[in-house]
Amino acid sequence: MSTAITLPSGGDLDIGTTPILNGTDQRVLFQEGGVLDEDDSFKFDKSLGRLTLEKNIADRVELVIQNNVQSSGANESQGCQLTFLAGTSLQKAYIGFDNSTNGGNGTGHMEIVSPKGIHYKTTGTWNGYSHYFTNGVGNGFGFSGFRQVGSGMRFQMRSGGGGGTLTAMEQQGAFGGQIFWRQQYLKHIFGSIATNNTTVTNQMIITPANLFALGPDDPTAKLDVRAQGALSTDVVFRLRNSANTDDILTVNGNNVMAIHNGTAPAANIATAGQLYVESGALKYRGSSGTVTTIASA
């Protein structure tokens, strides 16, 4: 139950000297029904410098900031704005809503601005729902992203929404062009978009049947690797040594497999034979240690 005192006409209250009868410490005074009032939902703790607006009931509590429509001026001066000043250097951060009459496409958007970045943090989920961003398209997000203003660099996530089958994560560099991961009809596609932002190249595909392809075409085998062309210089598959100084095995686009010179094995493998090339000759060492030259250099 709140208490109230009636101020006489022209009366004054001396700060720090005039007691408020039946008042409660830390509650902020306001006018209600023509009299001075207080409520447990609006408090100020001087020792902590904390202003609290809360209500332990089912009704919602709102913080309303309203001002007139602006017709000119910087973007941060348009519409409604809540500004924070903190630290010895008085760094300014603000939450703003642009409702300016000349805002163009920017009218109606919300900005959260901080000179040292923004940290979005959650302590968990509520009723099984994780925290998410949405722009009202379908059951997920239509588009959300992060970008560095003026540099062209950005990271974005998007969805067809409204029952669409495509979701994507895309990353763009400073000079245009993107790399992307897309999920479409349960198929995972990794690829790139050229700097003209129109030429799309699928570079790696995984199907719902766990078929894997390196190339732009859907795979028809467990591992499907497509050559760049039909030339001997087009390498389809290559194994390199750990020092990255020589090839071990290569398969070229003209249907040629090359096993490069190696060191003859010094021990047998009881359950396998060993195939190798020594000084250009193709040799085989069986599990008993017998070495057979299959083809001379």
Side-chain angles (χ1 to χ4, degrees), residues 152-172:
M153 295 184 292
R154 67 182 182 184
F155 172 78
Q156 63 187 26
M157 297 174 289
R158 63 186 179 91
S159 170
T165 58
L166 170 68
T167 60
M169 292 189 296
E170 300 169 345
Q171 180 177 323
Q172 179 174 299

Side-chain angles (χ1 to χ4, degrees), residues 124-199:
T125 60
W126 180 79
N127 285 351
Y129 292 94
S130 58
H131 299 264
Y132 63 92
F133 298 94
T134 178
N135 68 350
V137 179
N139 295 322
F141 53 81
F143 172 86
S144 62
F146 306 90
R147 68 186 179 96
Q148 183 174 349
V149 176
S151 71
M153 295 184 292
R154 67 182 182 184
F155 172 78
Q156 63 187 26
M157 297 174 289
R158 63 186 179 91
S159 170
T165 58
L166 170 68
T167 60
M169 292 189 296
E170 300 169 345
Q171 180 177 323
Q172 179 174 299
F175 301 101
Q178 300 177 14
I179 58 174
F180 64 82
W181 166 82
R182 293 177 180 172
Q183 196 264 32
Q184 189 170 14
Y185 294 108
L186 300 180
K187 181 170 63 177
H188 298 265
I189 303 173
F190 300 84
S192 62
I193 303 176
T195 53
N196 58 19
N197 291 324
T198 58
T199 304

Side-chain angles (χ1 to χ4, degrees), residues 3-238:
T3 59
I5 58 176
T6 302
L7 296 178
S9 177
D12 295 325
L13 288 177
D14 293 330
I15 297 177
T17 60
T18 304
I20 300 176
L21 301 179
N22 301 318
T24 303
D25 286 348
Q26 297 186 356
R27 292 186 183 179
V28 178
L29 300 178
F30 54 89
Q31 181 173 320
E32 177 71 21
V35 298
L36 196 62
D37 204 350
E38 65 172 26
D39 191 85
D40 62 358
S41 63
F42 193 20
K43 304 174 184 177
F44 177 71
D45 189 326
K46 183 176 68 174
S47 62
L48 298 178
R50 181 172 62 193
L51 182 65
T52 304
L53 180 65
E54 63 181 358
K55 197 74 171 178
N56 296 323
I57 57 176
D59 294 340
R60 67 182 183 177
V61 175
E62 296 177 322
L63 175 63
V64 179
I65 303 174
Q66 182 175 342
N67 66 345
N68 296 326
V69 172
Q70 304 293 320
S71 59
S72 63
N75 188 63
E76 66 180 61
S77 70
Q78 306 294 328
C80 306
Q81 182 173 310
L82 176 63
T83 303
F84 306 92
L85 291 175
T88 56
S89 60
L90 293 180
Q91 293 286 341
K92 182 175 73 170
Y94 69 84
I95 301 173
F97 180 81
D98 185 359
N99 64 347
S100 60
T101 57
N102 65 342
N105 293 333
T107 300
H109 80 278
M110 175 174 284
E111 290 185 345
I112 303 176
V113 178
S114 170
K116 296 296 179 65
I118 298 170
H119 181 192
Y120 174 78
K121 185 177 181 180
T122 174
T123 57
T125 60
W126 180 79
N127 285 351
Y129 292 94
S130 58
H131 299 264
Y132 63 92
F133 298 94
T134 178
N135 68 350
V137 179
N139 295 322
F141 53 81
F143 172 86
S144 62
F146 306 90
R147 68 186 179 96
Q148 183 174 349
V149 176
S151 71
M153 295 184 292
R154 67 182 182 184
F155 172 78
Q156 63 187 26
M157 297 174 289
R158 63 186 179 91
S159 170
T165 58
L166 170 68
T167 60
M169 292 189 296
E170 300 169 345
Q171 180 177 323
Q172 179 174 299
F175 301 101
Q178 300 177 14
I179 58 174
F180 64 82
W181 166 82
R182 293 177 180 172
Q183 196 264 32
Q184 189 170 14
Y185 294 108
L186 300 180
K187 181 170 63 177
H188 298 265
I189 303 173
F190 300 84
S192 62
I193 303 176
T195 53
N196 58 19
N197 291 324
T198 58
T199 304
V200 179
T201 303
N202 295 338
Q203 297 170 328
M204 186 169 66
I205 301 173
I206 304 174
T207 70
N210 293 327
L211 303 182
F212 178 78
L214 285 173
D217 300 323
D218 286 351
T220 57
K222 198 70 174 178
L223 176 61
D224 204 334
V225 183
R226 181 174 177 176
Q228 302 174 62
L231 303 176
S232 60
T233 54
D234 294 330
V235 179
V236 181
F237 179 77
R238 181 175 70 171

